[in-house]
Structures are given as C-alpha cells and as structure tokens.
Amino acid sequence: MSRKQVILDLDQIIPEERVVILAEKRIDVSRIPSRVTLDIAKNSDKLQSGSQDTFPLLLDQVASILRPSFPEVTADWIVDNTDLNQLLKLIEFVLEPVKDRAGGDTEKNEVSPSQ
C-alpha cells in the first residue's frame, strides 16, 4: 500500500519584488518578516491612537523590514537620510503590503504616518 505524500514548499512562495532606493542604496523590501506583521497587530491600538509613540514605532517597523537587505539600517539612519516627504513615502511604500493584507481602509488608517 503506497502512502500519499503532501508537501507544502513555502520556499516557492515568492513575493512581488519591491525595492527602495535611498542614499544610493538599493534595498529589497519584498519580504516582510512575520515578526513585523505580528508587532503591527500587537500594537494596533497604539498605531490607531496617533499618539507620540506612533511615529517611532512605525520607524522601528520600517527599519526591521529594511534590515534583511540592509543589515546596518536603523531608525536614526532612516531619519538622517530622508526629508519629511521621503520619510512619509518610505513608510507608506514599505508597509503597503501589510495594510493590503490586513484588509483595506480601516487598517490603512491604523498604520498611516500622517495621522
């Protein structure tokens, strides 16, 4: 009697390529670590409140997404190498897949840096 084998090859799930070019560095942000996504979910109340803790939290999450492709990145490096418009665009671009996956407009408001 033969056994049926079922294999889930998660290495075959390849996200759409997403790249940020900043300070002459090409940073791949295609893959968002699960830890970042879980952290966003855990901190959704803080993110929704728009308190003074929101922006540093967003910066830390963005740095965590950039880090696999650019290990030296920190929230301070991001702030030092962007102007305000670039920073807001960076946050929106990097977190866009998380917002889209979370279900649209209500989640978009939770992680929007412009609140």
Side-chain angles (χ1 to χ4, degrees), residues 23 29 47 56 69 83:
V29 296
L47 293 169
S69 178
D83 63 28

Side-chain angles (χ1 to χ4, degrees), residues 44-57:
S44 64
D45 289 342
K46 272 188 199 175
L47 293 169
Q48 200 168 22
S49 74
S51 72
Q52 65 185 24
D53 296 333
T54 301
F55 208 71
L57 185 59

Side-chain angles (χ1 to χ4, degrees), residues 2 5 10 17 20 25-26 28 37-38 46 50 58 93-97 100-101 104:
S2 66
Q5 185 178 29
L10 295 175
E17 184 176 32
V20 170
K25 301 214 180 289
R26 183 179 170 88
D28 184 346
T37 306
L38 294 171
K46 272 188 199 175
L58 284 172
F93 180 79
V94 170
L95 294 177
E96 181 180 14
D100 290 348
R101 183 76 181 210

Side-chain angles (χ1 to χ4, degrees), residues 26-68:
R26 183 179 170 88
I27 308 166
D28 184 346
V29 296
S30 304
R31 188 176 170 276
I32 298 177
S34 295
R35 183 174 306 279
V36 175
T37 306
L38 294 171
D39 193 43
I40 290 170
K42 182 177 88 177
N43 291 300
S44 64
D45 289 342
K46 272 188 199 175
L47 293 169
Q48 200 168 22
S49 74
S51 72
Q52 65 185 24
D53 296 333
T54 301
F55 208 71
L57 185 59
L58 284 172
L59 278 176
D60 287 341
Q61 291 167 344
V62 168
S64 295
I65 294 168
L66 274 57
R67 203 164 286 122

